[in-house]
Amino acid sequence: MFKVKVYVTLRESVLDPQGKAVTHSLHSLNYPEVSDVRIGKYMELTIEKSERDLDEVINEICSKLLANTVIEDYRYEVEECVPQ
Amino acid sequence: MFKVKVYVTLRESVLDPQGKAVTHSLHSLNYPEVSDVRIGKYMELTIEKSERDLDEVINEICSKLLANTVIEDYRYEVEECVPQ
């Protein structure tokens, strides 16, 4: 069994209005030291062992469903879990 | 200048209908090996050096604005950036 942590972020060149809104809210809440916020997604997948190659499966899942690769980048980390 | 990566996740005991929907979609897309998905948020904050304590500022920001601590947990990583 594997625990896969997927991070999806907007590409650098893409504007992030949600992040800008959070930055403005933080300035209103008296945190002027926060100069920028970028919002992304974080997902934890539990994947059972199968005959297919794990990295291939994760890349397919990310590009088909979890990330929009036109405007987003993704990266992931795999942890193997030992069942108790 | 600091780059702060904030990860917000639903607490273990809280149901995640969005994650369940993604799990079902993945099963329909022929990935039966994915047994569970939990959805969270990922944020990158750029924080300038100030007189206030950085960890204190981040904890205040997370608990006031970025995470709902009743149902969510957060963790963060700090990286110091050297301006070029």
Side-chain angles (χ1 to χ4, degrees):
Chain A
M1 203 172 79
F2 303 95
K3 195 98 172 171
V4 181
K5 295 176 177 180
V6 178
Y7 307 88
V8 177
T9 45
L10 275 177
R11 295 192 168 199
E12 276 305 316
S13 55
V14 178
L15 287 176
D16 181 1
Q18 199 187 352
K20 281 280 162 292
V22 173
T23 311
H24 287 148
S25 300
L26 286 171
H27 291 174
S28 313
L29 288 168
N30 200 25
Y31 298 102
E33 57 266 70
V34 179
S35 58
D36 194 39
V37 179
R38 305 276 294 176
I39 311 267
K41 284 179 286 185
Y42 169 69
M43 283 152 287
E44 284 179 0
L45 281 70
T46 310
I47 303 185
E48 308 297 332
K49 275 206 174 97
S50 77
E51 283 157 27
R52 291 197 271 193
D53 179 66
L54 184 68
D55 285 302
E56 211 172 278
V57 165
I58 299 169
N59 280 309
E60 279 180 27
I61 287 174
C62 288
S63 56
K64 275 190 194 170
L65 191 73
L66 303 182
N68 174 356
T69 52
V70 177
I71 54 165
E72 292 171 329
D73 289 319
Y74 65 86
R75 62 191 169 83
Y76 62 87
E77 288 162 12
V78 177
E79 256 171 50
E80 188 157 4
C81 299
V82 182
Q84 275 133 23
Chain B
M1 201 172 80
F2 304 94
K3 194 97 171 173
V4 181
K5 296 175 176 180
V6 178
Y7 308 89
V8 178
T9 46
L10 276 177
R11 295 190 166 201
E12 277 304 317
S13 55
V14 178
L15 287 176
D16 182 1
Q18 199 186 353
K20 281 278 162 292
V22 173
T23 312
H24 289 148
S25 301
L26 286 170
H27 291 173
S28 314
L29 288 169
N30 199 23
Y31 297 103
E33 56 267 69
V34 180
S35 58
D36 193 38
V37 179
R38 304 276 294 176
I39 311 268
K41 285 179 285 183
Y42 169 68
M43 283 153 288
E44 285 179 1
L45 280 71
T46 309
I47 304 186
E48 308 296 331
K49 275 204 172 96
S50 76
E51 283 158 26
R52 291 197 270 193
D53 179 66
L54 185 66
D55 285 301
E56 208 172 282
V57 166
I58 299 169
N59 279 310
E60 279 180 27
I61 287 175
C62 288
S63 55
K64 275 189 193 169
L65 192 72
L66 303 182
N68 174 355
T69 51
V70 177
I71 56 166
E72 291 170 331
D73 289 320
Y74 65 85
R75 63 192 169 84
Y76 62 86
E77 289 161 12
V78 177
E79 256 170 50
E80 187 157 5
C81 299
V82 183
Q84 274 132 24

